[in-house]
């Protein structure tokens, strides 16, 4: 992997639910050339940002979470201080479903930081309530429920390998409604109105990544015009996202099982976005959450 090279300093604050993969993300960022500080008392953030700027550190990531106890409560105030000082930063929030987090804590046989004498689910509930405001103001949310460490490492590389400067990065994510809507999606598109290749015997074992299925899905009545119109709508939204400082967008495309229709449509939307005439610089790629689950 190549080191990050940027003309101006990048400051990334990494937070989120305990057990959602912060350690994996920290290691991934280090591999990408970021200078990572783990479990920093948030009150020290403004001073650290100044020192990093003066020491010419181009990419600084700070991990802050509820392990810091009462120190963590100062995070919102520190973020406000950074904003008032015109320090540019991004906030990455890592999340996962309660069931997934419980399973991870049980597998490691470690208590939740906010569990106390109660159950793991009680600690998770307290942490969700505590982090609700932070999650709502995050620039990037990654749902790690269905990601192993290698997939999470890849996702971090896709988002942060070149910093988060002028371009908007778009992840067109296919999924199956039977497995739940991705919690980190910014936009959700339902493809279940398209005839399902599942009912065509020769296409059933294939996926939307094959030419046969893609041709069947995209050739269905009205689908080509629908995709073109949706890409145009996205193109109109992106300049506004950029003005608001949002540099990473997840567009979730769903069908019943996440195998045929959503996969083919996701690939086509990502392809058209890359070739569309949009007034802001973008990079788009398609990923497929549920392919192979059946």
């Amino acid at each position: 992997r190549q080191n990050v090279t940027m003309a101006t300093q990048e400051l990334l604050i990494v937070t989120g639910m305990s057990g959602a993969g912060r350690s994996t993300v920290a290691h991934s960022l280090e591999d990408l050339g970021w200078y990572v500080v783990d479990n920093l008392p948030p009150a020290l953030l403004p001073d650290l940002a100044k020192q990093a700027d003066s020491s010419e550190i181009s990419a600084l990531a700070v991990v802050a979470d509820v392990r810091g106890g009462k120190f963590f409560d100062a995070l919102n105030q520190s973020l406000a201080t950074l904003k008032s000082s015109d320090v540019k930063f991004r906030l990455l929030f890592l999340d996962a479903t309660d069931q997934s987090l419980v399973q991870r804590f049980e597998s490691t046989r470690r208590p939740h930081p906010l569990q106390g004498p109660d159950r793991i689910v009680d600690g998770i509930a307290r942490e969700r309530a505590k982090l609700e405001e932070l999650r709502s103001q995050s620039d990037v949310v990654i749902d790690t429920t269905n990601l192993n460490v290698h997939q999470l490492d890849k996702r971090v590389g896709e988002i942060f390998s070149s910093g988060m400067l002028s371009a908007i990065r778009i992840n067109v994510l296919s999924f199956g409604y039977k497995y739940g809507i991705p919690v980190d999606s910014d936009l959700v598109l339902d493809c279940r109105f398209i005839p399902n290749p599942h009912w065509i015997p020769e296409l059933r074992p294939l996926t939307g990544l094959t030419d046969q299925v893609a041709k069947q899905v995209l050739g269905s009545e009205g689908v080509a015009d629908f995709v073109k119109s949706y890409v145009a709508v996205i193109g109109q939204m992106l300049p506004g996202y950029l003005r608001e400082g949002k540099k990473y967008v997840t567009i979730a495309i769903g069908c019943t099982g996440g195998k045929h229709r959503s996969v083919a449509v996701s690939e086509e939307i990502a392809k058209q976005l890359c070739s569309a005439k949009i007034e802001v610089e973008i990079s788009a790629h398609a990923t497929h959450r549920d392919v192979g689950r059946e």
Side-chain angles (χ1 to χ4, degrees):
R1 288 175 176 168
Q2 296 179 344
N3 285 347
V4 177
T5 56
M6 290 172 284
T8 58
Q9 185 195 58
E10 278 280 318
L11 172 59
L12 177 69
I13 294 102
V14 182
T15 189
M17 298 296 294
S18 299
R22 289 189 308 266
S23 296
T24 298
V25 169
H27 293 317
S28 299
L29 290 170
E30 285 181 340
D31 291 344
L32 291 170
W34 291 70
Y35 186 91
V36 179
V37 180
D38 190 16
N39 203 18
L40 179 80
L44 301 179
L45 254 176
D47 290 337
L48 178 63
K50 293 179 182 178
Q51 293 181 21
D53 189 43
S54 62
S55 62
E56 298 183 352
I57 294 176
S58 60
L60 170 65
V62 176
V63 181
D65 52 72
V66 296
R67 289 175 298 167
K70 291 184 178 180
F71 288 116
F72 181 72
D73 296 336
L75 181 55
N76 281 324
Q77 180 58 48
S78 293
L79 296 181
T81 300
L82 292 176
K83 290 178 181 178
S84 64
S85 303
D86 292 327
V87 176
K88 295 182 179 180
F89 66 89
R90 303 294 171 193
L91 186 60
L92 167 61
F93 192 98
L94 301 171
D95 204 351
T97 62
D98 288 2
Q99 180 181 359
S100 177
L101 295 175
V102 168
Q103 290 174 344
R104 293 173 188 179
F105 276 105
E106 288 181 341
S107 66
T108 60
R109 299 183 179 181
R110 297 186 63 188
H112 188 280
L114 301 183
Q115 179 178 342
D118 302 317
R119 301 177 302 165
I120 294 175
V121 291
D122 297 318
I124 292 173
R126 294 181 185 120
E127 187 174 28
R128 280 208 188 282
K130 196 178 189 71
L131 300 182
E132 183 177 4
E133 182 180 350
L134 273 176
R135 191 187 191 286
S136 66
Q137 60 182 295
S138 297
D139 299 283
V140 180
V141 178
I142 299 179
D143 176 14
T144 68
T145 301
N146 297 303
L147 301 179
N148 60 36
V149 292
H150 305 293
Q151 292 168 328
L152 179 54
D153 177 75
K154 181 181 178 182
R155 181 71 63 83
V156 172
E158 290 170 347
I159 303 172
F160 299 109
S161 60
S162 299
M164 298 176 66
L165 298 177
S166 58
I168 294 180
R169 297 186 174 212
I170 303 173
N171 178 28
V172 188
L173 173 66
S174 71
F175 73 95
Y177 276 95
K178 64 191 290 184
Y179 303 115
I181 298 175
V183 300
D184 52 348
S185 55
D186 297 296
L187 302 170
V188 178
L189 177 65
D190 188 349
C191 284
R192 290 176 293 184
F193 71 93
I194 302 173
N196 194 349
H198 174 81
W199 303 115
I200 302 176
E202 60 268 29
L203 298 182
R204 182 176 299 178
L206 305 178
T207 74
L209 294 172
T210 63
D211 291 339
Q212 300 97 307
V213 173
K215 183 177 180 180
Q216 177 69 28
V217 171
L218 300 174
S220 297
E221 183 178 357
V223 173
D225 289 339
F226 174 77
V227 170
K228 183 178 179 181
S229 298
Y230 193 67
V231 169
V233 169
I234 296 170
Q236 292 177 330
M237 298 173 67
L238 294 179
Y241 275 141
L242 190 61
R243 287 192 297 271
E244 293 299 315
K246 186 173 181 61
K247 300 292 186 66
Y248 186 76
V249 179
T250 297
I251 303 171
I253 313 294
C255 63
T256 303
K259 181 180 179 180
H260 296 112
R261 294 168 290 180
S262 63
V263 174
V265 171
S266 295
E267 289 286 334
E268 182 63 20
I269 287 176
K271 177 183 176 181
Q272 291 194 23
L273 281 171
C274 289
S275 60
K277 294 181 179 180
I278 300 174
E279 63 182 82
V280 298
E281 182 183 355
I282 70 166
S283 64
H285 66 279
T287 56
H288 309 291
R289 191 190 73 177
D290 297 326
V291 167
R293 293 190 67 165
E294 293 185 347

